[in-house]
Amino acid sequence: MPIDRSVVRARIENAAEYVGPLWPLNTFNAANPLQGFEDQPFDRAVQKAGQLFGGRGYPGPQVFRQAWENGEIDADVLTRHLAEHGITERPEVLLGRMDADAAGHDATPADQPLDRVLTKWLSAFLDQGQAAWPMPNREDGFYAAWRTVAPYDGEIPGVDRPSDLPDTLVEAFEAVLESYPEARWEPIFVHHLTALPGWTGFIKWRSRRADTAWQEAHPITLTQYLAVRLTLADRMGSAIAPDRTEDLPTNGTDRPALPRIWLRAWEESYRTRLLDDLRQAPSSAPETDRPDAQLVFCIDTRSEVIRRHIEQQGPYETHGYAGFFGVPMQHQAYGTGERVKSCPPIVDPKHRVVERPVESHRAQADRYDWWAQLERAGTTLLATLKKNIAAAFGFVEGSGGFFGAAMAARTLLPSGLFRLAERLDERLPGPEAFCAPTVDRAPAIDADTEDGLPVGISNEAKVLYAEAAFRLMGWTDTFAPIVVFTGHGSQTPNNPYKASLDCGACAGNPGGPNARVLAAICNEDAVRAALRERGIDIPEDTVFLAGQHNTTTDEITLFVDDDNPPVAPKALGRLRRDLQSAQADAATERVRTLNTTVDEGRPAAAVRETERRAADWAETRPEWGLAGNAAFIVGPRELTRGLDLEGRCFLHSYDWTADEDGTALETIMTGPLVVGEWINTQYYFSTVDNAAYGSGSKVTQNVVGKLGVVQGNGGDLMSGLPLQSLKADDERVCHRPLRLLALIQAPTDRVEAILDRHAALAHLFDHEWMHLTVMDPAQDPAFVRYRPGGGWRPQPAAKASTATEVRASAGAP
């Protein structure tokens, strides 16, 4: 019986919902690996996912033991949770029981010949410029290209010529599925798509982004992938259907599970301590009517540390806002034709911003161009000599000493190389010193004809983005003479996961370009006049600057033309000195968590250590990234100012009194908060089962096709974070795997109305992928906790807060 192609596609789409998308390395974005299960209760979802992927859904006993011994799990809270399930044994006995239950869980999966052959061809077809000899006929699509070269693969039996294989996709499915009723197709597809969830996730991402250059040049779909896989399975004698193909993952069980109980007790302990600290926070009324400067940072948890130390330097205010600063743009850096998305994965760019030299700095640009052209020529020559058959051996013999010395310097003298690079940057500044972003709308002739994005931003859009930024932060008055929009980015060499350390709101890119765009917009007289008409009165003496926070070293670079500074040199110098002092204090705090010791009596010692990590190509832990993230706080800075939140909280500024209709809060809850949940679940699952949901050790990783990493010399694409981003050593975790706590200061009915309008958001709380607590200024007690399914429960104060007393052990943030 002929197969209806549309039916096959529909069944494949349904089956693919179990696997989340996987972004490539250069734009690595955090995502929940169980995204396809978020419409189900958390406990049921992790059990179903365990059946498909073999992954653990709750922390292991070793993680719970560390938290218990560190005092992070309150004994009374744990006792109460256990008693609710009739469990009376001592915690030490229960930990031993969990040890016994977990024995054998991490067994190495058996090598599957089908997977080994298939990943070999996926690596070849999906290669994005790493291979010197690319797979032929890729422009015809995956199935057609594979069919052409399959006869040359000795591991595929019975294929001597392309005609031995089905000619079309439909024929391939008919050949394999003809003996199976249609009702069994979807379970079959689920079985094969989840066998290699990493490759499936990447194909899913790429096929749904048909505008990417690689997808346009070398198309692949899940339908083509399954056609090849099923054909290979049929030829190699592998199972087409699972042992119980009639059964999709079961609904799990509701029986009490010790890990689930321990996790709930741990989460409640953290929540109680955090809320009690907020209750007891000292009054943080501003010491002056107008601060010297205000700095806007990304909501990233790493910003909490540097913000706290900046505020300790003097009359400074800080705010938190999504790191793309509300500008959905595509960025094209100077001297390159590459355009990168610089907005969240759930947002499409609306504008293209190009970096172009300022006429007053044309000579500086020409000098930079000369050196950049020389560098490109040297790089091209080096690549040619390395790959040329005739020259390769002689080149290696002749250049061995030079490269050996360079390798020794990078290994033994990383701090020296960091300082050398800084001196070179001072002598030959980069494009930030002589370029400006094209925020003005370009003539039609200069518009982008490939993707339809206009160059620059219209006047109406400028006003919209500026107003949205200030209103979302609840900031409509009291502007300092200097306001700095501060993006962030990481500095780390030899790290395939660098994008995971950059700004997630900028699609895994640094946030500096977005900061420069919003600063330029807010400095325009026409924009300020329009904002004044809308109730946002920015003083004439307020100047907006842009900067970038290096999250590895905590250095903050201000993008300022020192030859013609827009603010008084004295004020600028004072701000820079205070930022350097804040860097030293923040670096000292961070170094304590990085398995190293420095002389804390010398402020420069900690900075030097972070600089070493930023330059050391052998450093597996240049920084902790967002490890430790546990809460997302939406409220004014006065709520948390003066508290040491240990770099564990996303902080989004918000003033409920300036948001009468709740529009700003709705935007925050449906945008940044959802992205925070993605980050939290990625860290959570990468920690609880790194083999299934993480990416293993960096030491044994290999980059494949410039798109992902595999363990060893092949296999599935690894979808999560490496062990070194999560654990201080083989025994101690750095990231505490807790589900995200959303804490919002706003009227309860406002939050309820938003949940009523957004079912997908409500499901995240109803199904306990996140927890929600509201600080309602009109209620007493102010803190109320959302009950899954609806309703609120008062959150009374504990007898005494211990949040600031319980410090993580060495190696924890």
Side-chain angles (χ1 to χ4, degrees):
M1 178 183 295
I3 286 180
D4 187 334
R5 187 168 184 169
S6 63
V7 173
V8 172
R9 285 180 174 173
R11 296 288 187 177
I12 292 174
E13 285 296 311
N14 291 340
E17 289 303 310
Y18 288 103
V19 181
L22 176 63
W23 277 260
L25 286 176
N26 64 332
T27 57
F28 189 83
N29 280 283
N32 183 357
L34 272 58
Q35 188 180 74
F37 297 86
E38 286 183 341
D39 61 340
Q40 304 169 44
F42 183 85
D43 186 56
R44 183 185 304 168
V46 296
Q47 291 184 58
K48 293 175 68 173
Q51 296 174 39
L52 288 177
F53 307 123
R56 185 192 295 116
Y58 289 96
Q62 185 176 348
V63 176
F64 286 130
R65 180 175 286 105
Q66 176 182 326
W68 174 252
E69 292 175 351
N70 289 342
E72 297 176 41
I73 302 177
D74 186 272
D76 293 337
V77 172
L78 178 61
T79 300
R80 172 164 48 81
H81 279 270
L82 291 170
E84 290 173 355
H85 294 87
I87 301 173
T88 58
E89 290 97 332
R90 291 183 298 107
E92 291 78 6
V93 174
L94 299 176
L95 287 169
R97 184 187 303 174
M98 284 192 282
D99 276 327
D101 292 342
H105 171 80
D106 296 323
T108 303
D111 181 43
Q112 299 294 333
L114 170 61
D115 292 342
R116 187 170 63 248
V117 172
L118 184 58
T119 55
K120 172 178 62 180
W121 289 112
L122 286 170
S123 302
F125 181 86
L126 292 170
D127 178 83
Q128 296 184 171
Q130 183 173 348
W133 191 352
M135 180 178 177
N137 305 313
R138 290 194 292 170
E139 65 277 2
D140 297 330
F142 181 49
Y143 181 80
W146 170 79
R147 181 175 177 270
T148 302
V149 296
Y152 303 99
D153 188 342
E155 293 185 271
I156 307 176
V159 180
D160 298 320
R161 57 188 64 85
S163 58
D164 292 333
L165 296 169
D167 187 49
T168 66
L169 292 176
V170 172
E171 292 175 3
F173 282 106
E174 288 177 344
V176 177
L177 298 178
E178 61 181 354
S179 59
Y180 297 94
E182 184 179 325
R184 301 183 68 184
W185 293 358
E186 191 169 317
I188 290 173
F189 295 157
V190 169
H191 171 70
H192 286 279
L193 289 174
T194 56
L196 295 171
W199 286 107
T200 297
F202 178 74
I203 296 169
K204 182 176 181 178
W205 172 85
R206 194 168 119 168
S207 63
R208 293 184 178 182
R209 291 183 54 84
D211 59 333
T212 62
W214 289 104
Q215 178 66 4
E216 290 178 355
H218 314 304
I220 185 173
T221 64
L222 290 174
T223 303
Q224 294 182 38
Y225 166 66
L226 277 176
V228 173
R229 183 177 178 91
L230 291 173
T231 301
L232 278 172
D234 187 41
R235 291 280 176 173
M236 299 177 69
S238 299
I240 300 297
D243 292 338
R244 298 178 62 187
T245 188
E246 70 278 9
D247 292 333
L248 288 174
T250 61
N251 287 330
T253 174
D254 292 327
R255 66 178 177 81
L258 284 176
R260 181 178 65 188
I261 298 169
W262 276 73
L263 178 62
R264 288 177 181 274
W266 192 1
E267 291 170 337
E268 182 178 334
S269 300
Y270 174 77
R271 178 176 64 249
T272 300
R273 289 165 177 150
L274 176 61
L275 298 186
D276 285 347
D277 271 359
L278 293 175
R279 288 188 182 96
Q280 300 169 19
S283 174
S284 57
E287 298 178 359
T288 61
D289 293 335
R290 193 184 189 197
D292 287 355
Q294 294 158 316
L295 297 94
V296 183
F297 285 85
C298 179
I299 61 175
D300 189 289
T301 58
R302 293 167 289 184
S303 299
E304 185 273 328
V305 178
I306 191 67
R307 288 176 62 181
R308 176 164 26 92
H309 289 290
I310 289 173
E311 291 167 346
Q312 292 171 355
Q313 303 304 315
Y316 297 114
E317 286 183 3
T318 67
H319 298 266
Y321 189 47
F324 77 115
F325 295 101
V327 183
M329 71 184 212
Q330 183 188 75
H331 180 244
Q332 182 174 336
Y334 177 71
T336 176
E338 183 182 6
R339 304 167 189 175
V340 298
K341 182 177 179 180
S342 195
C343 54
I346 57 178
V347 176
D348 292 325
K350 305 296 183 185
H351 316 277
R352 179 159 64 94
V353 173
V354 182
E355 299 284 346
R356 289 175 177 164
V358 178
E359 282 304 319
S360 60
H361 292 283
R362 174 57 63 180
Q364 197 173 11
D366 291 342
R367 182 184 177 207
Y368 176 87
D369 290 344
W370 189 88
W371 283 103
Q373 187 176 7
L374 183 64
E375 181 185 16
R376 286 194 296 269
T379 302
T380 301
L381 176 62
L382 181 62
T384 301
L385 291 173
K386 287 169 65 177
K387 295 178 181 179
N388 186 279
I389 296 177
F393 293 101
F395 172 72
V396 170
E397 291 291 336
S399 62
F402 171 79
F403 283 100
M407 183 172 65
R410 294 181 69 182
T411 304
L412 302 176
L413 302 170
S415 296
L417 291 179
F418 183 93
R419 292 190 288 274
L420 176 61
E422 282 190 325
R423 294 192 183 97
L424 291 176
D425 286 341
E426 292 174 359
R427 295 182 62 86
L428 184 66
E432 295 85 0
F434 57 79
C435 283
T438 54
V439 295
D440 291 327
R441 178 61 59 85
I445 193 172
D446 198 24
D448 189 333
T449 57
E450 294 181 11
D451 53 22
L453 292 178
V455 175
I457 305 172
S458 67
N459 291 331
E460 294 80 4
K462 291 178 185 178
V463 176
L464 174 66
Y465 298 145
E467 182 183 16
F470 295 124
R471 294 211 181 278
L472 282 177
M473 289 185 282
W475 180 15
T476 57
D477 55 17
T478 314
F479 289 87
I482 301 175
V483 177
V484 185
F485 294 118
T486 315
H488 70 91
S490 177
Q491 182 177 358
T492 166
N494 192 30
N495 185 359
Y497 282 94
K498 182 183 184 303
S500 71
L501 298 175
D502 283 336
C503 183
C506 298
N509 294 291
N514 293 68
R516 297 178 71 202
V517 168
L518 187 57
I521 288 173
C522 291
N523 280 325
E524 292 191 8
D525 293 337
V527 172
R528 293 195 186 195
L531 291 176
R532 194 170 298 114
E533 294 176 358
R534 302 182 185 198
I536 302 175
D537 190 2
I538 301 174
E540 292 185 2
D541 67 339
T542 294
V543 176
F544 292 88
L545 305 179
Q548 183 159 297
H549 172 210
N550 183 328
T551 56
T552 309
T553 66
D554 277 311
E555 178 184 14
I556 295 178
T557 301
L558 300 180
F559 301 130
V560 176
D561 182 358
D562 288 321
D563 295 332
N564 185 26
V567 297
K570 183 178 180 180
L572 183 62
R574 182 170 59 250
L575 175 60
R576 281 176 164 160
R577 288 192 297 273
D578 287 340
L579 291 178
Q580 290 175 353
S581 297
Q583 175 193 6
D585 294 342
T588 300
E589 179 177 331
R590 290 189 191 275
V591 165
R592 297 185 190 122
T593 73
L594 289 169
N595 286 359
T596 189
T597 57
V598 298
D599 183 0
E600 295 191 8
R602 297 172 51 242
V607 174
R608 292 300 186 195
E609 172 60 18
T610 60
E611 290 174 348
R612 179 197 69 76
R613 290 174 178 270
D616 191 348
W617 70 339
E619 178 56 63
T620 58
R621 296 179 180 88
E623 60 163 281
W624 281 123
L626 289 94
N629 71 84
F632 191 112
I633 301 177
V634 181
R637 180 55 172 161
E638 289 75 16
L639 184 65
T640 57
R641 182 168 179 144
L643 289 179
D644 180 359
L645 299 175
E646 304 177 358
R648 302 190 67 182
C649 298
F650 299 94
L651 299 177
H652 199 302
S653 296
Y654 172 73
D655 183 356
W656 68 274
T657 63
D659 182 36
E660 294 182 0
D661 61 358
T663 301
L665 181 59
E666 186 167 11
T667 302
I668 295 170
M669 291 182 64
T670 56
L673 178 57
V674 172
V675 174
E677 187 263 349
W678 292 1
I679 295 170
N680 175 264
T681 49
Q682 182 183 66
Y683 272 85
Y684 175 92
F685 286 109
S686 293
T687 303
V688 300
D689 198 327
N690 197 261
Y693 303 122
S695 60
S697 173
K698 289 182 178 180
V699 177
T700 51
Q701 286 178 352
N702 280 300
V703 175
V704 56
K706 294 185 178 180
L707 59 92
V709 299
V710 296
Q711 276 293 328
N713 64 351
D716 195 17
L717 283 183
M718 309 306 288
S719 60
L721 297 164
L723 284 168
Q724 288 84 352
S725 295
L726 306 162
K727 301 185 71 173
D729 52 39
D730 290 342
E731 302 296 329
R732 296 172 299 157
V733 295
C734 168
H735 177 68
R736 271 54 173 167
L738 306 177
R739 289 169 291 186
L740 191 67
L741 167 64
L743 174 61
I744 301 171
Q745 187 186 55
T748 305
D749 56 357
R750 185 177 300 178
V751 176
E752 278 187 334
I754 293 171
L755 295 179
D756 289 342
R757 289 194 295 270
H758 298 277
L761 176 64
H763 282 161
L764 295 177
F765 297 115
D766 289 334
H767 295 156
E768 298 185 283
W769 295 89
M770 284 193 290
H771 302 297
L772 173 62
T773 296
V774 170
M775 182 180 183
D776 191 333
Q779 290 195 26
D780 184 22
F783 292 105
V784 290
R785 181 185 173 194
Y786 179 78
R787 292 181 175 180
W792 301 91
R793 176 185 304 165
Q795 182 76 29
K799 294 180 180 179
S801 175
T802 55
T804 54
E805 299 172 7
V806 179
R807 294 296 300 185
S809 63

